[in-house]
Amino acid sequence: QDSSSPLMEQLNFFHDHTLLILTMITILVGYIMGMLMFNQFTNRFLLHGQTIEIIWTVLPAIILMFIAFPSLRLLYLMDEINTPSITLKSIGHQWYWSYEYSDFLNLEFDSYMMPTNELEMNGFRLLDVDNRIILPMNNQIRILVTATDVLHSWTIPSLGVKVDATPGRLNQINFIINRPGLFFGQCSEICGANHSFMPIV
């Protein structure tokens, strides 16, 4: 999905960056293997090649650094907690989500999947809910995630958010939505019979 938050944009860039490196390695190794199959060269005096061994040990290490450093940078960026403008508490149940806007008094509701027979013509089957979350764009948003019964996972791919909902534990994540829109997600931790039927909108 297209990214709708700065972090997801960075994750997309990182994916493309790594894919390019993988492609170059695959082409190089494939070319060398192909050449080995077809060339007729032999070297009667080749017993050891110190230089080439140093090269083919050091080069992969350097290539791995080009993957590791951007990856670690992103890992720390995703855990960064800034001062949130609004806090949403998301609680996983079997098999629906309930939400509390902690900054306001008595603002909480349950969010169930819309059954197919109640869907409107422009609704998304198995993805739409009866009560959607409303969050402001261009603001720091903090989500606190927990569960009441079994493990769930609160996930919205286009915002780059995936947090485990664990009973007895409060997990926290921060993000910014940088454009208006309708964002869909689903529970991403197998949580029983109706695991596929507790979407997030």
Side-chain angles (χ1 to χ4, degrees):
Q1 296 180 18
D2 289 339
S3 66
S4 304
S5 79
L7 270 177
M8 189 58 198
E9 199 167 16
Q10 289 297 313
L11 283 168
N12 276 339
F13 287 149
F14 176 66
H15 168 267
D16 298 345
H17 166 80
T18 312
L19 202 64
L20 267 178
I21 292 176
L22 283 175
T23 309
M24 290 192 303
I25 292 171
T26 311
I27 290 170
L28 179 70
V29 173
Y31 172 75
I32 292 171
M33 285 171 71
M35 292 306 290
L36 280 174
M37 295 287 185
F38 298 115
N39 76 30
Q40 304 292 321
F41 302 132
T42 52
N43 184 346
R44 292 186 305 147
F45 307 109
L46 184 63
L47 296 172
H48 60 82
Q50 218 97 55
T51 321
I52 188 72
E53 285 188 11
I54 288 172
I55 290 172
W56 73 40
T57 307
V58 171
L59 202 64
I62 292 170
I63 291 172
L64 281 177
M65 284 167 137
F66 273 97
I67 297 175
F69 286 133
S71 170
L72 286 169
R73 171 180 158 268
L74 263 178
L75 205 60
Y76 279 99
L77 271 177
M78 288 170 76
D79 270 341
E80 190 95 27
I81 296 296
N82 303 305
T83 315
S85 311
I86 187 169
T87 301
L88 174 72
K89 188 175 182 187
S90 165
I91 304 156
H93 307 265
Q94 285 179 310
W95 286 274
Y96 64 96
W97 296 97
S98 62
Y99 299 100
E100 299 171 11
Y101 284 85
S102 323
D103 307 304
F104 310 99
L105 291 170
N106 306 327
L107 185 45
E108 45 189 80
F109 55 89
D110 296 337
S111 179
Y112 288 88
M113 186 189 79
M114 293 280 282
T116 308
N117 58 349
E118 291 174 22
L119 264 186
E120 303 198 354
M121 279 304 288
N122 58 357
F124 289 97
R125 182 177 165 272
L126 301 186
L127 272 183
D128 246 323
V129 295
D130 54 0
N131 292 316
R132 295 171 172 176
I133 312 163
I134 296 175
L135 290 170
M137 60 179 263
N138 293 333
N139 277 290
Q140 280 289 344
I141 297 159
R142 170 171 59 187
I143 306 269
L144 301 173
V145 183
T146 185
T148 52
D149 36 45
V150 296
L151 289 177
H152 299 280
S153 182
W154 198 86
T155 305
I156 298 188
S158 60
L159 299 177
V161 175
K162 178 175 280 186
V163 203
D164 275 0
T166 314
R169 186 189 171 108
L170 210 54
N171 285 328
Q172 166 175 277
I173 197 156
N174 238 51
F175 61 87
I176 296 180
I177 303 172
N178 60 8
R179 57 189 178 135
L182 197 54
F183 308 115
F184 294 93
Q186 288 170 304
C187 175
S188 299
E189 186 72 65
I190 294 179
C191 58
N194 292 339
H195 159 67
S196 319
F197 310 115
M198 42 185 299
I200 301 153
V201 186

